[in-house]
Amino acid sequence: MCSGEDQQFIQTITKTLNSGIAEFIVMAADAEPLEIILHLPLLCEDKNVPYVFVLSKQALGRACGVSRPVIATSVTIKEGSQLKPQIQSTQMAIERLLV
């Protein structure tokens, strides 16, 4: 069962892709139901945004700094962010995986 909160997060991720601000997308392979995120890889490819699956929504939640499972996340760069080089490096690493 997918929570309303999960659906809101997926809508927000879709908006970041459609608006061109997503640097890359990370999705959990154990998302339930998986169908809720299945449109994201197609949209990523359409928008030329790299994406990657991780094994666990629990691990993705921890990586996002929250205590709950996360089924997907969009990574964006704020103007002037000190993390920009790290985000771009990760983005390039994901792109190399997709080739």
Side-chain angles (χ1 to χ4, degrees):
M1 185 75 154
C2 178
S3 74
E5 193 172 76
D6 286 340
Q7 290 175 343
Q8 279 185 304
F9 285 125
I10 297 303
Q11 288 174 351
T12 301
I13 292 167
T14 301
K15 286 179 188 176
T16 66
L17 283 164
N18 286 328
S19 65
I21 62 171
E23 297 295 323
F24 60 90
I25 304 296
V26 182
M27 295 167 278
D30 65 345
E32 291 179 14
L34 190 58
E35 291 79 17
I36 192 168
I37 63 170
L38 286 182
H39 74 285
L40 292 175
L42 295 172
L43 187 56
C44 286
E45 289 177 13
D46 185 50
K47 301 293 184 180
N48 202 27
V49 174
Y51 64 92
V52 66
F53 281 90
V54 295
L55 291 177
S56 163
K57 57 189 174 190
Q58 291 291 100
L60 184 53
R62 285 191 302 272
C64 290
V66 297
S67 59
R68 65 179 297 277
V70 172
I71 60 172
T73 189
S74 173
V75 177
T76 61
I77 298 177
K78 284 187 176 181
E79 193 66 37
S81 172
Q82 295 177 348
L83 295 174
K84 185 174 182 174
Q86 292 170 309
I87 292 170
Q88 289 175 329
S89 174
T90 303
Q91 179 186 28
M92 287 188 294
I94 293 170
E95 287 174 349
R96 284 193 297 273
L97 290 172
L98 294 175
V99 173

